[in-house]
Amino acid sequence: MLSTEHSPSRVFITGGAGYIGSHVVLALGEAGHEVLTYDNLSTGNREAVLHGELVVGDLADRMLLQQTLERFRPDAVVHFAASIEVGESVRDPLKYYRNNSANALNLLEAVRAAGIGRFIFSSTAAVYGNPPTVPVDEEAPLAPINPYGASKLVTERMLADLAAADPHFCYVALRYFNVAGADPQVRLGQDYANPTHLVTRALKTALGIFPGLQVFGTDYPTPDGTCVRDYIHVSDLARAHLDALGYLLGGGESRVCNCGYGHGFSVREVVAAAKRVTGIDFPVAETARRDGDPAELVAASGRARTLLGWQPQHDDLDFIIRTAWEWELKLKKQR
Ligand code: UFG
């Protein structure tokens, strides 16, 4: 394995102004890489790009995409830009196939035309649907139960087929589990207009921005009846991208890797942790299930550790929530 710290490279990042992308841009910058972010700012923020150049552009704009790739001549492309909400994907599936599958096809065509042979893809645990066994490893059946997961799986298939057809094209698809938390130095965090993810909703409820938190479903076949997820700190996830880059630039072959810690917390446990960390007993209501939610998603994450050399450092739910809370307090002070 080649260490990315010793080999500065040029990395083209779609969605680098978004939550996870911006943490990866920062981590790459700190490791000495040159970065260009390509983002349409539909959900991302200009101020979140703390390193390198930002080109405001859409993946549907083939001309601008091609020109930017040919000008920057990256060693690798990291593709984050996507729609990411399970519930919305059930209500508006075509938005997901457009943004996540059709736009990925555009990008792959442009990447190929520019002769770029290294690609890192933000995939998701949602490709597994309701896995037959948990923790779920990368060989488990791919059976998404919502359009979000299906739209990402389409791109995984494109990548696998392209890599099979072209020996010069290699990729790593990282299947993210539940990403949460913020940069421990509080330079970055999640900043969407209407966040839907559990940790952010809970903390904004603690701040009084939302009147109450809803727990979606208490009748799942899990120990306390609420859904179980593998929450991973965003900076650990960012590190996995640097490891994947080093792996690919070191000649690694195409692989898919889970990104999670290997153990899960229920919605109720996350709510209790949010109350503990903030010291605020915010209102919580138990409501019906949300469409498209699998009962339990927990990663078997051995492959990322052994293949990519990934060494997560923040496997601690309270730490994850504390960093997200510091970020929320900073946002509140600014606005
Ligand atoms: N939840 C609530 N109330 C809320 C928000 C969420 O009860 O206000 C519950 C959900 O029903 C779910 C759990 O909290 O059971 C986590 O929900 P999130 O919306 O935070 O995250 P998801 O599990 O839906 O999805 C996330 C990512 C996906 C990824 C998936 C993999 O958005 O990209 O984790 O586990 F695929």
Side-chain angles (χ1 to χ4, degrees):
M1 194 189 344
L2 193 74
S3 163
T4 51
E5 268 129 71
H6 302 302
S7 56
S9 49
R10 302 167 69 78
V11 188
F12 180 97
I13 300 202
T14 74
Y19 168 48
I20 301 169
S22 63
H23 284 79
V24 172
V25 169
L26 179 59
L28 285 167
E30 287 181 329
H33 300 284
E34 263 190 71
V35 178
L36 184 145
T37 291
Y38 188 92
D39 196 304
N40 67 5
L41 301 182
S42 60
T43 55
N45 302 304
R46 188 181 291 278
E47 308 74 51
V49 182
L50 297 182
H51 178 77
E53 181 185 351
L54 167 67
V55 171
V56 179
D58 201 288
L59 290 172
D61 185 347
R62 267 298 297 271
M63 186 87 90
L64 180 63
L65 186 55
Q66 197 72 52
Q67 282 169 354
T68 311
L69 281 171
E70 275 161 16
R71 170 170 66 81
F72 187 61
R73 301 177 64 77
D75 301 301
V77 168
V78 188
H79 177 39
F80 293 98
S83 296
I84 58 158
E85 290 172 20
V86 168
E88 182 190 52
S89 81
V90 176
R91 295 190 301 276
D92 190 0
L94 296 185
K95 173 175 175 183
Y96 281 70
Y97 288 105
R98 166 68 54 200
N99 288 345
N100 297 357
S101 313
N103 279 348
L105 174 58
N106 263 350
L107 175 63
L108 285 173
E109 285 176 341
V111 158
R112 230 168 114 67
I116 300 153
R118 301 289 175 270
F119 197 93
I120 298 171
F121 175 55
S122 302
S123 191
T124 170
V127 297
Y128 297 117
N130 268 310
T133 52
V134 179
V136 58
D137 70 26
E138 292 85 350
E139 304 309 319
L142 300 173
I145 59 166
N146 52 59
Y148 169 64
S151 69
K152 288 279 188 174
L153 184 55
V154 169
T155 302
E156 280 202 21
R157 285 301 303 265
M158 288 194 275
L159 288 166
D161 291 344
L162 179 55
D166 178 355
H168 301 297
F169 181 84
C170 290
Y171 73 93
V172 170
L174 297 174
R175 291 183 180 149
Y176 307 164
F177 284 66
N178 283 59
V179 189
D183 168 47
Q185 293 178 45
V186 207
R187 294 165 292 183
L188 290 169
Q190 195 175 76
D191 190 8
Y192 297 137
N194 190 19
T196 62
H197 288 121
L198 178 61
V199 171
T200 308
R201 293 290 301 193
L203 297 180
K204 286 194 188 293
T205 307
L207 281 175
I209 294 169
F210 299 124
L213 180 78
Q214 293 180 303
V215 172
F216 297 137
T218 54
D219 59 347
Y220 285 96
T222 58
D224 72 12
T226 66
C227 291
V228 170
R229 296 286 184 274
D230 187 337
Y231 292 88
I232 166 178
H233 192 278
V234 65
S235 300
D236 275 341
L237 184 63
R239 192 179 297 270
H241 291 75
L242 270 69
D243 294 335
L245 179 67
Y247 167 81
L248 284 175
L249 294 177
E253 51 188 45
S254 297
R255 292 310 286 263
V256 173
C257 291
N258 284 343
C259 286
Y261 291 140
H263 48 84
F265 295 94
S266 71
V267 174
R268 284 199 173 112
E269 286 173 323
V270 173
V271 170
K275 291 185 174 184
R276 187 165 63 234
V277 167
T278 62
I280 299 170
D281 187 15
F282 53 84
V284 176
E286 293 180 353
T287 62
R289 291 183 177 195
R290 185 175 71 177
D291 284 345
D293 277 342
E296 186 169 4
L297 274 174
V298 174
S301 62
R303 186 185 287 177
R305 294 169 203 256
T306 51
L307 187 78
L308 307 179
W310 183 52
Q311 292 181 328
Q313 298 186 346
H314 305 303
D315 178 2
D316 174 342
L317 182 62
D318 282 24
F319 178 81
I320 292 173
I321 294 179
R322 196 171 317 115
T323 57
W325 179 236
E326 282 166 13
W327 171 252
E328 289 297 334
L329 293 173
K330 180 174 173 180
L331 279 183
K332 192 176 179 206
K333 225 183 265 169
Q334 282 170 355
R335 289 172 186 172

